[in-house]
Amino acid sequence: MHLKGDGYLLWKHLVYPYVFDLESKPSLLPKPQQLKWNAGAFPLSVATTILVDNPALVKDALVLKNAMEQKGLNVKLADKVSDAANYIQLRLGNVSAPQNQSEAYHLETATDKIVLTANTSQGIFNGIQTLLQLMRDNVFVDASEITDWPAFAWRGFMVDVGRNYQSVKLLKQQIDVMAGYKLNIFHFHPTEDIAWRLQSKLYPQLTDPEYMLRDKGEYYTESDLKELIKYCKDRYITLVPEIDMPGHSGAFKRAMGVDMQSDAGLEIVKNIIKEFCTTYDVPYLHLGADEVKITNQKFLPEVIALTESLGKKVIGWEPGGNFSDGVIRQLWMEGATKVSKNKNIKYLDSRHLYLNHMDPLESVVTIFNRQICNLTEGNENALGGIVCVWNDRAVANEEDVMTMNPVYPGMLTFAERSWQGGGNAGWTATIGQPETERAKAFMEFENRLLDQKQHYFKAMPFNYVRQANLVWDIYGPFDNKGDLTKAFAPEKAKFNASKEKPMYKATGGTLVMRHWWAPQISGVIEEPKENTTWYAQTQIWSDEDKQQEFWIGFNNLSRSMNTDSPNAGTWNNLKSLVWVNNGLVSPPVWKHTNQKGNLEIPLIDEGYEFREPTKITLKKGWNTVKVKLPVGSFKGLNWQNPVKWMFTFVEVIE
């Protein structure tokens, strides 16, 4: 059979998902609002033409053409085709959608043609991203009909480059991923206490290396930022720059010798704003204004008025400073819900959407279950949300931000939720009871997420593995009276799990027994008590005797806290233990044993996602895993060392 013949290509299309362990149909992410699979498929081998008769869509047609050529598919643009030709058509038309019509699209893939219709070129761009996912095997596109639109208008991703500089190349990589999954806001945070990384020709001393505490001398020139703005615009992404004021301004004070809120400081800030707004073509300027005592009541009103007079809309953090109602608020604490009751204020949700505070497996669970703005869809006031990466702690190199935080798993999960809408009321770190609708919905999403990882992220960090198939029996509570080493029935040899009824059944690779931000975020245990010990047990199947890699962890260190490193010979400071087939699994030999928390010392092996996996010998058949989970007081040593009562145990199967 010829390797280019129709029969071979059809066979390749049919076996493709089995060869690469993928879902039978392309795992579209975000999932379209309306999707119907039809019989048949469109052969890409005969699609030589992209039909585009509207000059306004030529730029988007070139996006599709270039992407197809990277797949080895050669196509040309044309404004007409013969009736007999197979083609892909891009056209503007009327696509009805209940909201955000400017981003809506209709995509029909038949056996002889593909027609993508949208109300605007941005809708066409969104449809192209879906079409490229449908082309997963580069051979056929399954016949389907899709009508799609986003539930929320603002679907954003934020990166803090003030604390830890990231190269333009790495930023572009993240922007490319955003575009592929229909995120449309890139929140760029380049000024901080650590360093001011935004060039000012008026005040070049702001980016002088001597005033930076990390990555000295690294900053973004005017041409860098203009390049990033254009790079975003070309992908229908709005770059939202943040110049944080008057807080988070230690680098400004060192460089200028004055406090921002002084009269002299205010004048300098006004000059910086004028320079910025006349230099850069962006519609918004984020002024921060969080985590600071306002000592000059005229500071924010005057800089807001100035910024608005220069044609920019203003965004600020909430809770934050003394804003006018015209300022868009970005919520960062649960207490900010009062803003949503004021119909004069537009707002964005970033509450509990900081990836640097999340265990990778937990991040996907939490974000998937979230209701953005506590709503199932956006409105005129609830614009959407922004998921954030605040890696406060110093890193050894820029790639560590990507490997130590669940950047891409979190980004894709947020893309799903912010496009699809929906979610569940309340905040939770749990998948849900096995076989419930909530657990089934998560498993369906996880299958699509892992398909995306397999297909598009082989060369990028993607710290997530399958967990929805792992079910634990949870036994307890046992009163340990403050003795975390005390042993109870489940770790005794005579304990027969098949005869004991567990208190809970829980699903997942990371189980949060009680969240450190309880009660805002629920964990496995409904009413957790101090000085108790619980046990978790599961069975893992192996087809043969072998060594298998596992992620094992008990205290995911936030990348934003001065958290102490574990003591030698322990998994964590709660005396947690883990056994496989009654054999105790030894904790890592920590490289920062018992180190006092320090934001200037980069993490190195404290998280399971960025250290070598633990190798465990499995026997053929069922293997019993048992985890001991004691806890004393829920009050941590300090806010930098909260009690994280949790564990991770999951096979690393790439």
Side-chain angles (χ1 to χ4, degrees), residues 13 30 90 110 149 184 226 265 305 553 602:
H13 175 68
L90 309 183
W149 65 89
N184 63 357
K226 285 183 174 178

Side-chain angles (χ1 to χ4, degrees), residues 8 18 87 306 326 345 472 497 505 510 525 555 557 574:
Y8 170 78
Y18 303 100
Y87 59 88
L306 172 63
I345 296 176
W472 299 83
K505 282 188 175 289
T510 290
I525 302 174
N555 180 20
L557 268 63
L574 297 180

Side-chain angles (χ1 to χ4, degrees), residues 19 240 363 538-539 562 606:
V19 171
V240 175
S363 73
T538 193
Q539 300 283 318
N562 283 330
E606 292 83 353

Side-chain angles (χ1 to χ4, degrees), residues 326-341:
V327 174
I328 298 170
R329 313 299 172 83
Q330 187 171 354
L331 313 184
W332 66 278
M333 282 183 67
E334 176 60 7
T337 46
K338 66 180 185 295
V339 169
S340 63
K341 297 173 184 174

Side-chain angles (χ1 to χ4, degrees), residues 448-462:
R448 286 187 286 120
L449 180 68
L450 288 170
D451 273 14
Q452 297 293 323
K453 174 186 177 180
Q454 161 82 349
H455 213 84
Y456 302 109
F457 290 88
K458 288 180 180 176
M460 289 184 274
F462 200 99

Side-chain angles (χ1 to χ4, degrees), residues 99 151-152 331 340-341 343 347 349 351 369-384 417-418 420-427:
Q99 71 234 61
F152 290 91
L331 313 184
S340 63
K341 297 173 184 174
K343 296 305 179 186
Y347 64 96
D349 199 354
R351 298 166 302 166
N369 281 298
R370 275 296 304 277
Q371 283 187 347
I372 297 167
C373 299
N374 297 347
L375 299 168
T376 57
E377 61 184 31
N379 55 47
E380 287 186 0
N381 297 92
L383 301 178
R417 183 51 64 222
S418 58
Q420 264 277 309
N424 298 291
W427 298 354

Side-chain angles (χ1 to χ4, degrees), residues 92-325:
L92 294 179
N94 181 31
V95 178
S96 179
Q99 71 234 61
N100 302 314
Q101 290 201 4
S102 65
E103 291 203 71
Y105 66 92
H106 179 265
L107 178 62
E108 187 162 4
T109 59
T111 56
D112 59 344
K113 64 184 175 182
I114 293 174
V115 179
L116 172 57
T117 309
N119 301 311
T120 68
S121 59
Q122 186 172 7
I124 292 291
F125 185 84
N126 289 335
I128 286 171
Q129 307 316 306
T130 300
L131 178 56
L132 292 173
Q133 290 187 26
L134 288 169
M135 294 179 181
R136 66 175 180 177
D137 61 13
N138 306 332
V139 177
F140 280 92
V141 173
D142 288 309
S144 65
E145 185 172 0
I146 295 170
T147 304
D148 203 10
W149 65 89
F152 290 91
W154 285 52
R155 306 176 305 282
F157 171 72
M158 191 222 80
V159 58
D160 168 16
V161 291
R163 291 181 175 89
N164 292 290
Y165 174 83
Q166 291 186 31
S167 65
V168 170
K169 180 182 178 183
L170 182 57
L171 294 174
K172 284 182 175 180
Q173 181 198 99
Q174 293 165 81
I175 293 165
D176 284 340
V177 175
M178 289 176 64
Y181 297 93
K182 306 183 181 71
L183 293 177
N184 63 357
I185 300 291
F186 180 54
H187 180 172
F188 183 66
H189 182 94
T191 71
E192 258 302 331
D193 289 326
I194 295 288
W196 184 287
R197 302 197 191 278
L198 198 57
Q199 181 183 31
S200 168
K201 292 181 178 177
L202 281 177
Y203 304 106
Q205 61 267 50
L206 284 167
T207 52
D208 193 307
E210 70 175 294
Y211 302 122
M212 296 182 177
L213 304 182
R214 293 183 199 153
D215 301 328
K216 296 188 176 190
E218 298 285 8
Y219 65 92
Y220 302 93
T221 64
E222 179 183 317
S223 62
D224 286 338
L225 186 51
K226 285 183 174 178
E227 183 181 347
L228 285 171
I229 291 167
K230 183 181 186 303
Y231 200 79
C232 286
K233 276 186 179 176
D234 287 345
R235 290 153 182 78
Y236 295 91
I237 293 170
T238 300
L239 188 146
V240 175
E242 179 177 356
I243 303 177
D244 215 336
M245 59 182 75
H248 294 266
S249 57
F252 173 95
K253 189 172 184 178
R254 290 191 299 274
M256 305 311 301
V258 294
D259 186 274
M260 271 192 180
Q261 296 193 70
S262 68
D263 289 343
L266 177 54
E267 285 307 307
I268 295 170
V269 167
K270 286 180 178 179
N271 289 336
I272 290 170
I273 290 174
K274 289 175 191 173
E275 179 188 26
F276 187 89
C277 292
T278 55
T279 302
Y280 300 107
D281 180 19
V282 289
Y284 302 93
L285 180 58
H286 200 306
L287 300 180
D290 61 311
E291 296 184 314
V292 63
K293 182 178 180 181
I294 301 294
T295 57
N296 181 351
Q297 293 299 315
K298 69 180 183 180
F299 182 93
L300 281 170
E302 290 193 12
V303 298
I304 290 167
L306 172 63
T307 306
E308 290 175 342
S309 75
L310 294 167
K312 310 299 184 188
K313 295 176 184 175
V314 176
I315 306 172
W317 290 103
E318 180 72 39
N322 49 326
F323 296 125
S324 57
D325 281 1

